Amino acid sequence: MPVIPGTDPAVSDLCLGGNVFGWTADEPTSFALLDRFTDATVSTLAPFVDTAESYGRGASEEILGNWMAERGLRDRMVVATKASRLEKEHPLSAAEIRKAVEGSLRRLQTDRIDLYYAHYDDESTPLEETLRAFDELVQAGKVRHVAASNYSPERLTEALETSERLGLTRYVALQPHYNLMERAAYEDGLRDVVAAHDLGVLPYYALAKGFLTGKYRAGEQVDSPRAEGASAYVGERGDRVLAALRRVADGHGVTVAAVALRWLADRPTVVSPIASGRSVEQLADLLPMQDLVLTEEETQALDAASE
């Protein structure tokens, strides 16, 4: 079962991205997405949802908080959010972290955050100050665990070693940009750091900004706010990856998106990939990844196509 090392409970195979809440999904649609997601998560796993204070400038957290309060499901969920950059001069300073967490707790209508990220590295603030501030939140019970997002291998290593040296709460997870189309940045550096320090990995852009849904083709227009980003992957390599995904998907009777997510979830160190849908229909295309089992031959074919 998917477990972030050093934490409990086990979480869902898919982490639902809350970036769409209040953006491409209004509150009623977001409620429907969360209902569908929790209904599809087996009772032995905690539905895992990822958001950030910067998503919709707090709207995402507010919608998630309203939904948890209305449904009475806070204790079943594992909620991750982030201290983000926004217009802050020193976003990971102790003062900014304290202010950010209070805002997130208020919007989420909860007394604790299960996983609290440094959304982006902040080289203007000493790592020791950031890590002491995170440790303070854990000791106060406002945050259960802390994690990093968008850190370089060098800075992640330094942060982990600093925590160990000072006896502070350390990062238990990393959220990197990682998927079938974006492998090098993670696999050529970050993966070794993660493995050496036993971190869990929660990749964002797990579907390559929507490209790995298979709906983006050369010369075709797609009505999506992510179309421009996804179009960067159109080309020979992208065609090769999509063709391999379709062969596997057809063999299992699922979508190419579900196969792409399952490939990522099965990678060493990965706990749950993060993905979202702006409609219940889009989310339904992703959910079969939770029960999908890829053969060794299928995994190797996807590996080869994406090299």
Side-chain angles (χ1 to χ4, degrees):
M1 294 189 292
V3 178
I4 300 171
T7 77
D8 63 82
V11 296
S12 50
D13 292 82
L14 176 68
C15 181
L16 181 64
N19 58 315
V20 296
F21 304 159
W23 175 38
T24 55
D26 60 16
E27 185 161 302
T29 302
S30 299
F31 273 37
L33 289 165
L34 286 159
D35 287 340
R36 181 71 178 88
F37 178 62
T38 52
D39 287 346
T41 303
V42 298
S43 61
T44 53
L45 301 177
F48 192 10
V49 181
D50 178 87
T51 184
E53 64 166 331
S54 60
Y55 296 167
R57 291 188 170 272
S60 174
E61 290 180 328
E62 287 182 355
I63 289 173
L64 177 56
N66 290 341
W67 176 84
M68 289 191 296
E70 185 171 307
R71 299 292 191 265
L73 288 176
R74 173 62 186 99
D75 290 343
R76 189 187 170 197
M77 311 297 293
V78 168
V79 175
T81 192
K82 309 175 190 76
S84 301
R85 289 186 298 199
L86 297 171
E87 289 82 32
K88 305 169 188 174
E89 185 176 1
H90 305 291
L92 294 183
S93 66
E96 290 288 8
I97 287 173
R98 293 186 192 110
K99 181 179 177 181
V101 79
E102 294 301 332
S104 291
L105 289 168
R106 182 180 66 254
R107 289 186 291 271
L108 289 165
Q109 301 180 51
T110 186
D111 62 351
R112 83 282 184 191
I113 293 164
D114 299 303
L115 188 64
Y116 196 49
Y117 286 96
H119 201 164
Y120 290 88
D121 190 11
D122 171 17
E123 295 192 14
S124 73
T125 300
L127 274 171
E128 181 174 335
E129 179 179 344
T130 297
L131 296 168
R132 286 192 184 280
F134 279 143
D135 185 73
E136 177 184 297
L137 296 180
V138 173
Q139 299 307 320
K142 296 180 179 181
V143 168
R144 295 191 64 209
H145 304 283
V146 293
S149 180
N150 299 297
Y151 270 50
S152 68
E154 296 76 19
R155 286 284 285 181
L156 180 59
T157 299
E158 185 181 354
L160 292 165
E161 290 177 347
T162 300
S163 294
E164 183 176 356
R165 175 171 53 82
L166 298 175
L168 302 173
T169 299
R170 72 174 194 123
Y171 295 146
V172 298
L174 174 71
Q175 187 173 136
H177 186 186
Y178 183 35
N179 56 59
L180 267 166
M181 299 301 298
E182 295 281 354
R183 296 179 59 180
Y186 176 73
E187 294 180 0
D188 292 349
L190 284 164
R191 182 172 59 185
D192 290 344
V193 178
V194 164
H197 294 272
D198 193 27
L199 305 186
V201 174
L202 300 311
Y204 70 85
Y205 286 157
L207 291 173
K209 302 180 181 179
F211 177 77
L212 295 174
T213 63
K215 62 185 177 184
Y216 297 91
R217 307 280 187 86
E220 293 187 11
Q221 296 294 318
V222 177
D223 180 20
S224 170
R226 292 177 176 166
E228 183 176 352
S231 66
Y233 300 113
V234 173
E236 182 181 352
R237 179 168 176 262
D239 289 345
R240 190 169 68 241
V241 169
L242 290 179
L245 283 169
R246 287 192 192 95
R247 286 192 292 271
V248 176
D250 289 347
H252 289 274
V254 298
T255 62
V256 295
V259 176
L261 291 171
R262 187 71 257 168
W263 175 88
L264 190 53
D266 289 344
R267 306 307 286 177
T269 70
V270 171
V271 177
S272 301
I274 302 167
S276 59
R278 54 178 170 158
S279 68
V280 172
E281 291 73 24
Q282 286 186 355
L283 177 60
D285 285 344
L286 313 183
L287 293 173
M289 67 81 63
Q290 299 188 113
D291 301 313
L292 183 60
V293 178
L294 301 181
T295 66
E296 185 176 346
E297 291 76 17
E298 289 168 337
T299 299
Q300 289 175 349
L302 294 169
D303 288 348
S306 62
E307 289 178 349

